[in-house]
């Protein structure tokens, strides 16, 4: 018995449904829109500064100053971005910068010269990050509580070391980095360090397995664990990274100020978190961008500079920062609800 022959498929009615674009394209589109929006805000601020104080704001020295000031908090923000992407928080970054800066500028440390100051600043930062990481990753402490305790302890130790006094740096090789003679093609050395840290941070977050593990831990720690990621070790590494960035920032601040003080890094934790948020990093973890965080730093630093040039009160500046943070969070929630 012969089998009935099926009629040929009508190509006009049996077409395959069009392939959906991959999900990563949507992520890239949103990231591009976010980056362009931040660049637009920065451009508007530059225009405002140029209009209100054209001779002062657009002066080369002032622009170099803005970039130099952004470098210190910018390095801290790069480390903070990694921590927030992983679903954590670090409230101790400002206090760590203060402790590292005063420990690195004691008379005993300065006897070892440039290398001694740099090594001490970095090792103190990493040491504090290690304590945070161990308490959070292996002590099962909430990041907010652990880093809050580090904030109080580091500030107290910094005050004890300095006895409330400013420690003046007397090492010429350190002070020379802040002089205009050290600029390369008009770029201050501190800005170049910031640029290097930014590039390395971007590569690590976007082009390495370490970065992918960080995003996975922040997105869903349990799923990351089931996928074979050592979540506790990853969190330890991230707080070590944050501490390293604080140590580098402390050295940059020493060069910029020529001294070490227990008040250094005041409110750095809030500025770094705010810069990361407006840059597109989710406080709940799982998503973040180094480029956005750096643009956030530049926006806040530019606002501060414009306010200073126009002799506006610092309280107005803080209100403006708060409004920007609220607007950024609202935009994040709207974006999340539409995805």
């Amino acid at each position: 018995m012969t089998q009935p022959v099926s009629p040929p498929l009508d190509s006009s009615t049996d077409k395959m449904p069009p392939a959906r674009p991959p999900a990563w394209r949507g992520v890239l589109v949103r990231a591009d829109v976010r980056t362009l929006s931040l660049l637009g805000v920065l451009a508007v601020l530059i225009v405002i500064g140029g209009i209100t104080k054209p001779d002062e704001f657009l002066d080369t020295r002032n622009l170099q100053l803005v970039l130099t000031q952004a470098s210190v908090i910018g390095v801290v923000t790069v480390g903070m971005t990694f921590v927030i992407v992983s679903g954590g928080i670090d409230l101790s970054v400002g206090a760590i910068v203060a402790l590292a800066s005063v420990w690195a500028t004691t008379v005993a440390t300065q006897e070892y010269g440039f290398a001694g100051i740099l090594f001490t600043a970095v090792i103190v930062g990493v040491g504090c990050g290690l304590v945070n990481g161990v308490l959070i990753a292996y002590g099962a402490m909430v990041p907010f509580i652990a880093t809050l305790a580090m904030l109080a302890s580091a500030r107290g130790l910094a005050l004890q070391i300095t006895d409330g006094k400013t420690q003046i740096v007397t090492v010429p090789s350190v002070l020379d980095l802040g002089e205009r003679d050290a600029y390369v093609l008009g770029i201050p050395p501190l800005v170049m360090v910031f640029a290097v840290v930014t590039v390395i941070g971007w590569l690590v977050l976007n082009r390495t397995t370490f970065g992918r593990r960080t995003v996975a831990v922040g997105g869903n720690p349990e799923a990351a664990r089931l996928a074979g990621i050592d979540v506790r070790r990853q969190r330890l590494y991230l707080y070590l990274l944050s501490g390293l960035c604080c140590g580098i920032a402390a050295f940059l601040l020493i060069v910029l100020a020529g001294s070490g003080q227990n008040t250094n890094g005041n409110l750095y934790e809030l500025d770094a978190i705010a810069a990361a948020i407006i840059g597109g990093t989710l406080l709940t973890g799982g998503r973040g961008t180094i480029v956005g965080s750096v643009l956030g730093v530049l926006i806040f630093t530019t606002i501060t500079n414009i306010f200073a040039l126009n002799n506006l009160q610092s309280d107005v500046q803080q209100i403006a920062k708060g409004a920007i943070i609220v607007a950024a969070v609202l935009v994040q929630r709207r974006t999340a609800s539409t995805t």
Side-chain angles (χ1 to χ4, degrees):
M1 185 175 180
T2 59
Q3 297 291 333
V5 180
S6 300
L9 292 175
D10 185 357
S11 58
S12 63
T13 58
D14 296 305
K15 292 179 180 180
M16 293 292 291
R20 297 181 61 185
W24 58 266
R25 287 189 181 177
V27 175
L28 290 179
V29 169
R30 291 194 299 272
D32 289 340
V33 171
R34 222 169 16 244
T35 301
L36 291 174
S37 300
L38 292 172
L39 287 172
V41 172
L42 185 58
V44 170
L45 290 174
I46 292 174
V47 171
I48 293 174
I51 293 175
T52 56
K53 291 288 182 178
D55 296 333
E56 299 175 37
F57 180 78
L58 297 178
D59 183 71
T60 302
R61 290 176 180 268
N62 183 64
L63 296 178
Q64 289 171 336
L65 175 63
V66 171
L67 292 175
T68 301
Q69 293 175 337
S71 299
V72 180
I73 184 62
V75 172
V76 175
T77 302
V78 170
M80 180 70 79
T81 301
F82 276 88
V83 171
I84 297 178
V85 168
S86 72
I89 198 74
D90 192 347
L91 300 179
S92 64
V93 290
I96 294 175
V97 169
L99 178 59
S101 68
V102 300
W103 207 322
T105 54
T106 61
V107 175
T109 303
Q110 292 194 49
E111 292 179 355
Y112 293 94
F114 183 99
I117 293 176
L118 175 59
F119 175 79
T120 302
V122 170
I123 203 67
V124 170
V126 172
C128 292
L130 176 63
V131 174
N132 280 337
V134 170
L135 291 176
I136 294 167
Y138 296 96
M141 288 189 67
V142 178
F144 182 92
I145 300 299
T147 57
L148 185 62
M150 175 58 71
L151 182 156
S153 302
R155 283 288 179 193
L157 184 55
L159 178 60
Q160 186 178 49
I161 291 174
T162 61
D163 194 24
K165 301 175 182 178
T166 300
Q167 298 179 161
I168 304 299
V169 177
T170 58
V171 180
S173 56
V174 174
L175 298 175
D176 289 345
L177 287 178
E179 299 296 331
R180 295 188 62 82
D181 293 340
Y183 290 11
V184 179
L185 300 176
I187 303 175
L190 275 66
V191 177
M192 291 189 287
V193 172
F194 176 36
V196 170
V197 171
T198 298
V199 171
I200 294 175
W202 185 89
L203 290 173
V204 171
L205 184 60
N206 297 280
R207 294 291 185 267
T208 67
T209 55
F210 182 88
R212 288 191 288 272
R213 288 197 298 265
T214 300
V215 174
V217 169
N220 191 325
E222 182 60 20
R225 185 187 67 81
L226 294 175
I229 298 175
D230 190 331
V231 176
R232 293 190 299 178
R233 185 172 61 185
Q234 184 70 15
R235 284 176 174 161
L236 173 63
Y237 289 162
L238 289 166
Y239 282 95
L240 283 173
L241 177 60
S242 179
L244 173 62
C245 289
C246 290
I248 296 173
F251 180 77
L252 298 183
L253 191 56
I254 291 170
V255 173
L256 182 62
S259 63
Q261 304 177 53
N262 65 286
T263 56
N264 281 344
N266 187 36
L267 296 181
Y268 272 19
E269 55 278 358
L270 299 183
D271 287 343
I273 294 171
I277 291 173
I278 71 171
T281 301
L282 290 180
L283 271 176
T284 52
R287 190 183 77 193
T289 163
I290 297 296
V291 174
S293 296
V294 170
L295 289 175
V297 170
L298 293 176
I299 288 172
F300 278 139
T301 308
T302 303
I303 290 175
T304 301
N305 183 259
I306 292 173
F307 275 52
L309 291 178
N310 287 277
N311 297 319
L312 296 176
Q313 298 295 327
S314 59
D315 54 351
V316 180
Q317 174 185 323
Q318 297 301 325
I319 293 173
K321 284 185 177 181
I324 292 174
I325 295 171
V326 171
V329 173
L330 291 176
V331 169
Q332 278 192 2
R333 292 185 61 182
R334 181 177 179 83
T335 303
S337 64
T338 57
T339 55

